[in-house]
Amino acid sequence: MYAADENRYDGRMPVRRAGNKGLQLPAVSFGMWHSFGDDANYSDSEKVILKAFDSGIFSFDLAYNYGPGSGAAERLFGQVYQANLKPYRDELVITTKAGYHMWPGPYGEMSSRKTLINALDSSLKRMGLDYVDIYYSHRPDPNTDPAETAEALDSLVRAGKALYVGISNYNDAQTKAIMKTFKELHTPFVVNQLSYNMLNREVEDNGVLDTLKANNLGMVAYGPLAEGLLTNQYLGGIPEDFQIHWSSTEVMDQGRAKVTAKLNQLNEMAKNRDQTLAQMSLAWLLKDPVVVSVVTGASKVSHLEDNLKAVQNIRFSADELTKINSIIKG
């Protein structure tokens, strides 16, 4: 019988607030995008999920399409939740999303009212939940009025199926467009989940970070390690078959050799901070308070423990930040 670590809130894991909203998240959230599909080993998955909670990670990030196998990650999480975590429901922040391909036909993706409502009903059933803490529109729908998407999300809050709403992969203009309706409806809109890492700085350039700050909202950063580039795995070179996430493709435009050289320079900086490259990369994101949480997954307890060490030092000197910028832009 699982009993959570009594010291899980002992301060090892910082808790951060989304602007001036009531939503609070651990600095590191547990993401289930990879390694939790139909072929996942249940016992291994259970161990790493429970270790995350015991370590102060009370936020679990899911989506309908996470797998492989549509709904697979939600189904697996639901099994772990029902067997172990259900007594701790009031502590947990469980989030899911809809928008990428989920089921056949025209309503199986994007962000229409029908799609979002049907998807959440299915997600709740799979996980055995009455509600999720944050429900996201996973991507903007180019053919649907953002007001319809906002109204659908708002109605799900009013129906008691979500406590807060979020958006994901919305750029600055798209964020402002949907935010207009959220404000009119007084919807509890709290975060935009975006791809962000030391190599991919698009959110800094397109203005969305500034918009979130100006409106007392938070950002949740996904892809913090750029598909593993920002680890020690590729210091010796990036193979030709390496695939970067669609949101970070511009990173590779400069060529593999140049990216590898930058990774090695960053790795030397990390050593000087007594961190691994991955730990420094996570810490770098958390230097900005608008980043309420960084989503990172782990298929092994040892990987999770390595990532958790990042929060022990999220302070950067002005010289360090200048040097990192010069390496990235060089």
Side-chain angles (χ1 to χ4, degrees):
M1 188 71 163
Y2 170 73
D5 189 331
E6 293 182 357
N7 299 313
R8 60 191 178 279
Y9 298 116
D10 66 0
R12 286 173 294 169
M13 174 58 62
V15 176
R16 295 158 72 97
R17 185 178 292 271
N20 64 357
K21 307 298 185 278
L23 179 76
Q24 299 178 73
L25 296 174
V28 175
S29 291
F30 191 87
M32 297 186 64
W33 178 30
H34 289 311
S35 306
F36 297 95
D38 288 327
D39 56 353
N41 180 284
Y42 176 82
S43 178
D44 291 344
S45 300
E46 182 182 49
K47 284 177 185 175
V48 72
I49 290 170
L50 298 182
K51 178 62 177 179
F53 186 54
D54 284 339
S55 302
I57 296 178
F58 55 86
S59 174
F60 295 90
D61 183 79
L62 297 116
Y64 192 121
N65 68 309
Y66 287 179
S70 197
E74 290 179 326
R75 192 177 305 112
L76 189 151
F77 176 79
Q79 291 170 351
V80 175
Y81 167 78
Q82 295 295 331
N84 306 278
L85 294 173
K86 194 170 184 178
Y88 307 97
R89 179 64 183 101
D90 290 349
E91 299 177 37
L92 300 174
V93 174
I94 302 170
T95 75
T96 196
K97 315 175 194 76
Y100 284 94
H101 180 74
M102 297 170 286
W103 62 80
Y107 288 106
E109 60 183 336
M110 292 298 174
S111 295
S112 72
R113 178 176 179 82
K114 178 174 172 62
T115 297
L116 291 174
I117 291 174
N118 288 353
L120 182 55
D121 284 344
S122 295
S123 293
L124 292 174
K125 185 176 181 180
R126 264 191 299 278
M127 292 188 281
L129 299 173
D130 296 323
Y131 69 94
V132 291
D133 296 271
I134 309 174
Y135 187 45
Y136 289 90
S137 167
H138 206 167
R139 60 172 169 173
D141 185 337
N143 299 311
T144 299
D145 186 337
E148 177 180 330
T149 298
E151 288 164 4
L153 292 170
D154 182 80
S155 69
L156 288 166
V157 171
R158 296 180 190 280
K161 296 179 181 181
L163 301 186
Y164 297 98
V165 302
I167 55 177
S168 183
N169 299 306
Y170 279 62
N171 65 25
D172 190 43
Q174 293 159 343
T175 298
K176 288 174 177 173
I178 198 167
M179 194 163 57
K180 181 177 182 294
T181 305
F182 285 147
K183 286 183 175 180
E184 292 169 355
L185 297 174
H186 301 287
T187 308
F189 166 51
V190 285
V191 290
N192 190 349
Q193 185 172 140
L194 295 158
S195 175
Y196 189 27
N197 56 64
M198 281 200 294
L199 300 174
N200 174 16
R201 313 277 280 273
E202 184 180 355
V203 296
E204 296 175 11
D205 300 330
N206 71 22
V208 67
L209 280 188
D210 293 334
T211 293
L212 295 174
K213 290 176 185 176
N215 288 275
N216 290 307
L217 298 163
M219 176 194 167
V220 173
Y222 77 80
L225 302 179
E227 303 305 299
L229 278 183
L230 290 166
T231 69
N232 61 10
Q233 187 174 356
Y234 299 107
L235 297 176
I238 302 168
E240 289 298 320
D241 61 352
F242 174 80
Q243 292 186 339
I244 193 88
H245 188 260
W246 62 263
S247 62
S248 295
T249 52
E250 290 184 8
V251 168
M252 303 303 296
D253 289 349
Q254 58 200 294
R256 285 170 169 74
K258 193 166 184 179
V259 174
T260 301
K262 291 180 178 183
L263 295 177
N264 279 275
Q265 292 178 67
L266 292 170
N267 188 54
E268 289 303 312
M269 284 194 66
K271 288 180 182 178
N272 291 334
R273 290 171 50 84
D274 294 322
Q275 290 180 318
T276 64
L277 177 55
Q279 289 162 2
M280 184 179 78
S281 300
L282 296 175
W284 180 87
L285 287 165
L286 292 166
K287 74 187 186 307
D288 189 339
V290 75
V291 179
V292 63
S293 191
V294 174
V295 177
T296 181
S299 56
K300 297 179 180 179
V301 169
S302 59
H303 294 164
L304 174 69
E305 291 174 331
D306 284 343
N307 289 340
L308 293 176
K309 293 175 183 175
V311 302
Q312 295 173 6
N313 181 14
I314 62 173
R315 296 176 303 277
F316 288 80
S317 69
D319 287 345
E320 285 179 313
L321 294 175
T322 298
K323 187 172 182 181
I324 288 171
N325 286 337
S326 68
I327 291 171
I328 299 300
K329 295 175 181 177

